[in-house]
């Protein structure tokens, strides 16, 4: 069985969405992620809302290639969040066939963020989108356990969890944690590699958005991670390689290396 892969937009910063779709198809990926909400300058591409020509071009490339948008990113839930403000981007993402919307939690008030997440999930559902939350060690959902607790707190809203090798590693996650997770709570998987240690001040934006490592080239327990997952998951390859970009390596080649590394590790782990 061929690995099911998604080319995450972070892996190919600088490409327009239509070019990202074409590259995903060329690399044998069935899906992409797409940033429809910017959380920093790196993720602020050409806006989709009100941009009919770009939306039309994206739709044309999706139709022509058969690639689909699995994940719409990235909706930051903060103390100031007004969920209704996300409606335009959720609407255009749904129009393009997006399947899930990922939220990240930066509100330390548990009662308030529970209400915010429930309202976000309801709005996403109204557009036919599932909701995932992504735990990040430097966010207010710091671990897999935090994310599970929050997802259960908003039931009966169907909120699931993104598990990224980076954040799983930096939060002290273990294979046993993954094996113990109810598979119904697993919303998405993202794969990368990295050094054993990273200064906390570099983890959120430098490591998160600019510099990771190709799977199999770092110190993360990638094989153990893959072997602990339920079978048949779509694996998002999220590997920004700023070092190679600075060395003049083209974005297409950087993405090709990341996808090839992911395939090697998936095969070595015997993941199906």
């Amino acid at each position: 069985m061929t690995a099911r892969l998604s080319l995450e937009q972070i892996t190919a910063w600088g490409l327009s969405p239509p070019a990202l779709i074409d590259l995903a198809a060329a690399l044998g990926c069935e899906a992409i992620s797409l940033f429809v909400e910017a959380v920093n300058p790196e993720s602020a591409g050409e806006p989709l809302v009100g941009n009919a020509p770009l939306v039309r071009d994206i739709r044309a490339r999706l139709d022509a290639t058969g690639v689909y948008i699995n994940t719409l990113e990235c909706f930051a839930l903060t103390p100031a969040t007004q969920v209704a403000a996300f409606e335009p981007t959720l609407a255009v993402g749904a129009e393009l066939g997006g399947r899930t919307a990922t939220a990240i939690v930066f509100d330390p008030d548990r009662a308030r963020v529970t209400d915010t997440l429930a309202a976000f999930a309801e709005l996403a559902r109204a557009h036919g989108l599932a909701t995932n939350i992504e735990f990040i060690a430097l966010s207010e959902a710091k671990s897999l356990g935090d994310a599970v607790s929050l997802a259960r707190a908003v039931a009966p809203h169907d909120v699931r969890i993104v598990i990224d090798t980076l954040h799983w590693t930096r939060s002290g996650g273990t294979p046993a944690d993954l094996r113990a997770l109810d598979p119904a709570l697993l919303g998405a998987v993202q794969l990368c590699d990295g050094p054993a240690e990273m200064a906390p001040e570099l983890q959120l934006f430098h490591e998160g958005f600019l510099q990771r490592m190709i799977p199999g080239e770092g110190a993360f327990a990638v094989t153990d991670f893959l072997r602990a997952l339920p079978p048949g998951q779509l694996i998002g390859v999220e590997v920004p390689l700023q070092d190679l970009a600075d060395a003049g390596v083209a974005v297409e080649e950087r993405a090709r290396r990341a996808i090839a590394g992911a395939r090697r590790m998936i095969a070595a782990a015997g993941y199906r």
Side-chain angles (χ1 to χ4, degrees):
M1 177 180 174
T2 304
R4 300 178 58 225
L5 299 181
S6 172
L7 178 60
E8 308 295 78
Q9 190 173 18
I10 286 178
T11 304
W13 285 137
L15 287 184
S16 68
L20 176 69
I21 293 162
D22 285 343
L23 180 58
L27 294 174
C29 298
E30 68 179 71
I32 64 167
S33 72
L34 188 64
F35 272 79
V36 294
E37 283 281 336
V39 292
N40 59 16
E42 289 76 23
S43 60
E46 186 176 357
L48 294 179
V49 175
N51 193 340
L54 179 57
V55 171
R56 185 167 54 247
D57 288 348
I58 293 171
R59 181 77 267 171
R61 298 319 304 150
L62 293 170
D63 290 344
T65 61
V67 170
Y68 62 90
I69 300 171
N70 186 57
T71 305
L72 302 170
E73 298 193 276
C74 189
F75 298 85
L77 307 185
T78 73
T81 293
Q82 298 295 316
V83 168
F86 292 139
E87 200 280 333
T89 45
L90 289 171
V92 74
E95 178 187 346
L96 290 168
R99 299 188 178 187
T100 69
T102 295
I104 51 178
V105 178
F106 291 107
D107 186 348
D109 186 314
R110 175 58 181 262
R112 180 174 56 209
V113 80
T114 299
D115 289 344
T116 303
L117 179 59
F120 178 81
E122 183 65 23
L123 182 60
R125 187 185 65 80
H127 289 285
L129 297 163
T131 295
N132 293 327
I133 51 174
E134 184 167 6
F135 64 90
I136 299 171
L138 295 179
S139 74
E140 297 299 334
K142 300 179 185 299
S143 66
L144 177 57
D146 287 349
V148 168
S149 176
L150 191 54
R152 288 177 172 159
V154 299
H157 297 287
D158 185 14
V159 172
R160 303 182 187 188
I161 299 164
V162 178
I163 303 180
D164 183 324
T165 323
L166 170 63
H167 305 308
W168 174 73
T169 300
R170 296 289 179 238
S171 65
T174 68
D177 296 335
L178 296 181
R179 287 191 292 269
L181 180 68
D182 179 353
L185 286 175
L186 181 55
V189 176
Q190 294 175 325
L191 192 68
C192 67
D193 212 330
E197 303 290 338
M198 179 64 65
E201 65 270 19
L202 296 178
Q203 288 181 21
L204 190 58
F205 289 113
H206 175 76
E207 189 173 42
F209 285 89
L210 297 178
Q211 185 62 56
R212 305 193 195 182
M213 296 178 72
I214 293 168
E217 297 187 5
F220 292 175
V222 174
T223 298
D224 292 342
F225 176 86
L226 289 165
R227 288 176 175 167
L229 294 174
Q233 299 298 309
L234 176 70
I235 306 294
V237 180
E238 189 164 83
V239 187
L241 295 167
Q242 187 65 43
D243 58 345
L244 294 185
D246 291 344
V249 178
V251 61
E252 294 85 357
E253 174 61 15
R254 301 195 308 266
R256 185 198 67 77
R257 295 184 194 183
I259 293 294
R263 285 201 169 103
R264 284 193 297 271
M265 292 305 295
I266 289 168
Y271 183 75
R272 296 289 185 270

